[in-house]
Amino acid sequence: MKALHDKTVLITGASSGIGRAAALLFAAEGARVVLGARRGAELEALVARIQAAGGAATWLAGDVREEAYAQALVRHAEDTFGPLHAAFNNAGVLGPLQPTPEVALADWRHALEVNLTAAFLGAKYQIPALLRAGSGSSLVFTSTFVGHTAGFPCTAAYAASKAGVIGLVQSLAAELGPSGVRVNALLPGGTDTPMAREMNPDEAALGAVARLHALRRLAQPEEIAAAALFLVSPASSFVTGTAMRVDGGVSIQRG
């Protein structure tokens, strides 16, 4: 039986990178996927691809920073497919890559709103739906090794917001454990996504990032999606409150 047979899973940040890879993988593993992101055209094309392969998918475009959108996405999931069994809160931005004294307050706030406040808003409306679905549901949030064990200069907003996601996960895991809802953070290493290429606009820069990892390469989005699949699936039924590193050994390299 497929890992997500008869499960409905919501994914944010689904239009590209890790979210897109997760949408394709989860659907292939039997999930009915509900996809959210700002770019509706990309979501529509992705849903069409999943449906053409025999999968079940729907989409709703919007801004994860908006409370009304967080609520509407959950409502759309339940109205379309019934009970919601898992959510992968993956949407995020890099934020300003500048020395901290040069960071504009507006840019700081934007990074926290997308990376942390949106995670809270997702949880706020996903949790009641997961509780309605019954015990065994799962919440997963994308954080980063940068917000956990390895500091990098000029990433204050990104690191602080993603570290906040880990704190949110740990609190929610303790809060929801008695109800049987599991909550975990996924900590990718450097991954070859549009966001990574925005941060490192040429191959030399990407190569330098790759060499920071013990495996001496970047991850492919599909590799991170496979770890997310483990966390949302029943295979991780006794895993909650974790910050799961899928980082190619970058954390141990930086010590």
Side-chain angles (χ1 to χ4, degrees):
M1 185 177 294
K2 295 181 178 181
L4 296 176
H5 172 71
D6 203 32
K7 303 292 185 184
T8 298
V9 184
L10 186 158
I11 305 170
T12 66
S15 61
S16 66
I18 293 168
R20 183 177 187 276
L24 292 167
L25 178 60
F26 293 5
E29 287 293 334
R32 300 175 291 265
V33 292
V34 181
L35 309 181
R38 289 179 294 109
R39 294 174 291 184
E42 285 84 348
L43 291 177
E44 186 176 22
L46 180 56
V47 165
R49 176 175 171 179
I50 291 168
Q51 291 174 339
T58 186
W59 63 276
L60 184 68
D63 188 335
V64 291
R65 297 174 297 171
E66 299 296 331
E67 185 169 9
Y69 177 63
Q71 189 174 18
L73 195 54
V74 172
R75 185 185 308 116
H76 181 63
E78 292 187 309
D79 288 348
T80 305
F81 291 133
L84 179 67
H85 302 99
F88 181 27
N89 292 285
N90 172 70
V93 293
L94 272 174
L97 303 177
Q98 299 169 294
T100 300
E102 299 175 14
V103 173
L105 180 57
D107 292 336
W108 169 270
R109 285 176 170 162
H110 180 257
L112 264 69
E113 286 173 1
V114 176
N115 293 341
L116 183 55
T117 301
F120 156 73
L121 288 173
K124 177 180 174 68
Y125 291 101
Q126 292 157 13
I127 287 168
L130 296 175
L131 292 173
R132 287 192 290 271
S135 181
S137 299
S138 176
L139 273 174
V140 178
F141 298 82
T142 300
S143 180
T144 172
F145 73 97
V146 178
H148 187 235
T149 56
F152 283 86
C154 301
T155 62
Y158 181 61
S161 60
K162 290 295 192 175
V165 170
I166 297 172
L168 175 65
V169 161
Q170 292 172 341
S171 178
L172 290 177
E175 181 178 330
L176 297 173
S179 301
V181 177
R182 299 179 297 104
V183 189
N184 292 287
L186 184 65
L187 277 58
T191 307
D192 192 357
T193 65
M195 184 184 293
R197 289 182 177 271
E198 175 189 341
M199 186 176 184
N200 305 281
D202 57 57
E203 293 300 322
L206 280 175
V209 174
R211 288 190 294 274
L212 295 174
H213 298 68
L215 294 179
R216 298 298 189 268
R217 66 176 179 86
L218 299 179
Q220 292 302 306
E222 292 77 10
E223 294 177 292
I224 309 303
L229 173 64
F230 170 71
L231 290 177
V232 302
S233 77
S236 59
S237 58
F238 202 60
V239 179
T240 196
T242 65
M244 180 178 172
R245 290 184 290 180
V246 190
D247 67 2
V250 67
S251 298
I252 58 171
Q253 289 295 100
R254 291 183 59 85

